[in-house]
Amino acid sequence: MTLTNTTDASTRRQTYTVPTHINKPDKLLFGLTARQLLLLITGASLAYATWLQALTWAMAWGIGLLWSRGLAFLAILPLVMMTLAGTFLTIADRPLELWVVVWMRAHVAPVTYVWRSAKWDEAKQRRLHARTRAHTRQEEQDQSEHEQEGWS
């Protein structure tokens, strides 16, 4: 009696791993993404350059070393806070710089919204515009006739 094994490759179930993190950016260093690292490095280098410049100016003005460091710290504090906020702060799962761009676009090109009833009809709107243009033309004709007759 011969036993056959029915578990050949054609009848076996194959399993696949489905990636669930496709829309997530890759972590590069210390759990930070490339965007976060770039923002931190840029902010840190700008803060350091500002620190050195403020310290140099304060020392040139004759301010003591302790007061010079305090002044330099106050000079870089807003820059450090902006860097940290831009790096780590997200609102509604969107980075802060995206909200800044949206805010700038909204203030550069403001939009005027007009409320219309749900019953508003495009044909009705065209008739209204045609009536308004006809009324304006009639007024212009009346005014030109009055001017020709000597009315002012």
Side-chain angles (χ1 to χ4, degrees):
M1 179 170 201
T2 309
L3 295 174
T4 57
N5 191 359
T6 60
T7 59
D8 57 23
S10 63
T11 60
R12 256 190 275 169
R13 263 193 165 161
Q14 295 195 359
T15 59
Y16 299 97
T17 303
V18 178
T20 57
H21 61 284
I22 293 175
N23 292 331
K24 301 272 185 188
D26 293 331
K27 307 284 184 182
L28 296 181
L29 187 66
F30 304 118
L32 299 174
T33 64
R35 175 195 148 274
Q36 289 174 322
L37 278 174
L38 182 64
L39 285 172
L40 277 178
I41 290 170
T42 304
S45 61
L46 287 173
Y48 183 67
T50 305
W51 169 271
L52 290 178
Q53 197 66 33
L55 199 59
T56 304
W57 286 346
M59 294 296 283
W61 290 337
I63 302 174
L65 181 63
L66 183 62
W67 289 103
S68 297
R69 287 182 179 170
L71 184 65
F73 177 75
L74 288 177
I76 69 163
L77 188 61
L79 186 58
V80 169
M81 297 303 286
M82 285 178 16
T83 300
L84 292 174
T87 303
F88 297 111
L89 186 65
T90 58
I91 302 170
D93 293 330
R94 292 190 175 122
L96 190 61
E97 68 264 11
L98 183 62
W99 289 109
V100 170
V101 170
V102 168
W103 181 80
M104 287 173 47
R105 287 185 65 193
H107 282 80
V108 168
V111 178
T112 304
Y113 292 100
V114 177
W115 179 86
R116 291 189 180 136
S117 170
K119 297 176 185 175
W120 185 262
D121 186 10
E122 290 296 325
K124 194 183 285 186
Q125 183 181 8
R126 284 192 297 271
R127 285 193 304 269
L128 180 64
H129 283 300
R131 202 175 315 139
T132 305
R133 279 182 290 192
H135 183 65
T136 306
R137 276 192 226 117
Q138 183 63 36
E139 284 180 352
E140 289 173 356
Q141 286 176 355
D142 290 345
Q143 187 177 8
S144 66
E145 288 175 5
H146 287 293
E147 287 175 359
Q148 288 175 0
E149 293 176 0
W151 297 47
S152 194

